[in-house]
């Protein structure tokens, strides 16, 4: 048995979300180390699974891990924003019964110092796909001061974003995440539970991997295709992503899409794509929090698409 480098978050809740699905296939947009994928395949013996990841290390590992299920699994490498479009084009969408995305980085990506995700890394990379054109070194060493300010404000929600951007520009080039976080530690907000450079690293990582753009595009493809009867479950790890998921699900649930100021409904009042299953996001319970510290910021929201009959 391989040594599993990543504990899947909210695993009971994920199994439960998809347990009523007895046929067709489920798309796991973020296969990672196949924790959720293998559990879903085990719990739903009649379904097929299409699993996506952009990280070759994850693909190599999970291809082996999912070997026992190989007749029911198709693995695809790429960004889920574009692979999901291909899948929707290629398959009869009435067979797509579930979509899961466990957004963000895996524990292994964080732990491997040469990947540059951790503030202790000796490199400045942060690409989930090692062949992608943009890496953290380019962002940190080549972005203009105002570009840095924008991403520190929007993706890191850092209050002193101007000061931090100015410090980066004044002290660059940086060659490693460690030297960057050491140089800027004193300007970062101090939290009890998180390393001072966490928000800085988050902001750069979101930019390098276009994480919010990927999430928005995934949700847009699902909305455009309407995926009859499908269940959509999204796990996110910070408020920026959770806000996108929450607002999108609220919009999808609305039947009337007239502007708020409209006196009378003129849209036909038939625009709802289905219903929100989780009014509040599902979060890890105490026993999971004890065994997996990463689960503390995980939030899962689930939407049930209509059958449109
Ligand atoms: C949190 S891990 C998923 C772990 C997985 N659920 C498990 O149980 O092992 C996220 C994975 O999604 C991948 N990923 C993140 N964003 C992606 C994107 N836009 N396209 C494809 N893969 C992505 C990362 O490379 C990483 O392997």
């Amino acid at each position: 048995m391989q040594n599993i480098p990543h504990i899947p978050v909210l695993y009971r809740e994920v199994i439960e979300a998809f347990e009523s699905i007895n046929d067709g296939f489920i798309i796991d947009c973020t296969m990672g180390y196949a924790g959720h994928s293998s559990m879903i395949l085990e719990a739903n013996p009649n379904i097929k699974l299409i699993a996506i990841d952009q990280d070759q290390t994850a693909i190599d590992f999970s291809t082996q891990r999912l070997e026992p299920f190989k007749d029911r699994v198709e693995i695809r490498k790429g960004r889920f924003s574009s692979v999901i479009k291909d899948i929707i084009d290629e398959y009869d969408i009435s067979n797509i019964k579930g979509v899961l995305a466990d957004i963000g980085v895996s524990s292994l990506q964080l732990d491997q110092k040469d990947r540059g995700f951790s503030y202790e890394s000796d490199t400045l990379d942060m690409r989930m796909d090692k062949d992608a054109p943009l890496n953290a070194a380019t962002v940190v060493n080549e972005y203009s001061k105002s570009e840095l300010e924008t991403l520190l404000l929007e993706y890191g929600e850092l209050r002193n974003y101007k000061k931090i951007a100015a410090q980066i520009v004044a002290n660059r080039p940086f060659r490693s995440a460690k030297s960057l976080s050491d140089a800027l530690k004193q300007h970062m907000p101090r939290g009890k539970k998180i390393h001072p450079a966490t928000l800085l690293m988050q902001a750069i990582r979101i930019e390098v991997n276009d994480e919010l753009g990927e999430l928005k595009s995934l949700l847009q493809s699902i909305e455009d295709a309407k995926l009859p009867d499908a269940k959509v479950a999204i796990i996110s790890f910070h408020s920026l992503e959770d806000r996108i998921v929450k607002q999108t699900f609220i919009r999808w649930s609305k039947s009337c899409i007239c502007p708020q100021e409209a006196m009378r409904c003129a849209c036909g009042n038939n625009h709802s794509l289905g219903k929100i299953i989780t009014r509040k996001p599902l979060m890890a319970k105490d026993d999971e929090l004890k065994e997996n510290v990463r689960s503390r910021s995980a939030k899962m929201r689930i939407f049930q698409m209509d059958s449109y009959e």
Side-chain angles (χ1 to χ4, degrees):
M1 184 62 198
Q2 298 157 284
N3 201 1
I4 314 286
H6 178 96
I7 310 174
V9 298
L10 298 172
Y11 52 91
R12 281 178 300 236
E13 291 78 0
V14 168
I15 296 300
E16 215 172 287
F18 295 115
E19 72 186 351
S20 59
I21 299 175
N22 299 315
D23 59 358
F25 55 86
I26 294 175
I27 303 171
D28 182 352
C29 296
T30 49
M31 173 180 66
Y33 293 87
H36 291 132
S37 288
S38 56
M39 286 176 178
I40 292 170
L41 283 158
E42 239 162 65
N44 306 51
N46 298 320
I47 62 113
K48 294 197 168 171
L49 185 106
I50 303 182
I52 307 168
D53 208 292
Q54 59 178 325
D55 185 336
Q56 190 60 45
T57 315
I59 301 259
D60 293 343
F61 182 94
S62 295
T63 304
Q64 264 197 51
R65 184 169 185 196
L66 295 176
E67 174 74 16
F69 306 100
K70 67 174 188 298
D71 298 339
R72 296 197 284 132
V73 180
E74 188 185 321
I75 296 177
R76 298 208 181 183
K77 179 169 189 279
R79 285 199 169 182
F80 56 62
S81 60
S82 75
V83 180
I84 191 100
K85 288 197 183 94
D86 297 341
I87 296 171
I88 288 169
D89 284 348
E90 283 168 37
Y91 285 89
D92 175 353
I93 57 164
S94 65
N95 285 324
I96 303 177
K97 299 290 170 65
V99 180
L100 170 68
D102 171 19
I103 307 285
V105 281
S106 67
S107 307
L108 189 67
Q109 286 167 335
L110 277 173
D111 293 346
Q112 280 180 327
K113 287 207 178 147
D114 63 325
R115 300 296 298 267
F117 286 100
S118 145
Y119 41 79
E120 288 178 333
S121 292
D122 324 317
T123 58
L124 200 47
D125 191 327
M126 295 196 191
R127 286 171 300 173
M128 292 185 200
D129 173 0
K130 283 187 189 167
D131 296 324
L134 182 67
N135 66 12
T138 307
V139 172
V140 170
N141 295 324
E142 293 177 27
Y143 272 28
S144 69
K145 187 158 152 285
S146 80
E147 285 172 324
L148 288 169
E149 284 175 356
T150 306
L151 76 91
L152 293 170
L153 175 64
E154 287 183 10
Y155 300 160
E157 298 182 308
L158 284 154
R159 259 190 283 152
N160 54 348
Y161 62 96
K162 281 186 189 266
K163 193 178 216 168
I164 299 169
Q167 287 295 321
I168 293 176
V169 171
N171 292 290
R172 63 193 188 186
F174 290 97
R175 302 275 171 237
S176 71
K178 184 161 183 5
S179 63
L180 177 70
S181 58
D182 283 349
L184 294 167
K185 242 189 330 219
Q186 79 233 51
H187 304 289
M188 298 294 163
R190 302 217 157 252
K192 279 195 193 122
K193 288 196 184 141
I194 61 170
H195 186 279
T198 303
L199 294 176
L200 169 68
M201 302 300 280
Q202 171 186 300
I204 300 169
R205 201 193 85 197
I206 290 176
E207 173 71 8
V208 168
N209 297 290
D210 188 21
E211 293 181 30
L212 303 186
E214 281 292 301
L215 175 58
K216 286 181 193 160
S217 171
L218 171 69
L219 294 169
Q220 189 60 53
S221 294
I222 295 171
E223 178 177 335
D224 293 344
K226 292 191 170 164
L227 302 186
D229 268 336
K231 210 169 233 187
V232 180
I234 311 282
I235 302 173
S236 61
F237 288 86
H238 54 74
S239 57
L240 297 167
E241 292 165 345
D242 184 52
R243 208 174 301 150
I244 293 171
V245 179
K246 180 179 171 186
Q247 286 168 355
T248 304
F249 283 3
I250 290 175
R251 193 164 50 74
W252 286 0
S253 68
K254 291 211 163 122
S255 188
C256 171
I257 54 165
C258 291
Q260 268 183 340
E261 61 279 9
M263 303 284 279
R264 192 179 303 150
C265 172
C267 71
N269 199 18
N270 58 356
H271 291 272
S272 167
L273 295 182
K275 65 170 193 275
I276 296 171
I277 304 284
T278 46
R279 285 278 149 209
K280 292 218 162 109
L282 302 178
M283 296 181 68
K285 303 201 173 69
D286 285 348
D287 57 341
E288 184 176 352
L289 288 170
K290 267 187 216 144
E291 70 187 34
N292 184 6
V293 63
R294 255 190 92 246
S295 68
R296 75 176 173 219
S297 41
K299 290 184 174 171
M300 178 160 74
R301 294 185 186 268
I302 308 171
F303 190 90
Q304 174 67 57
M305 308 295 275
D306 222 332
S307 52
Y308 314 110
E309 276 162 357

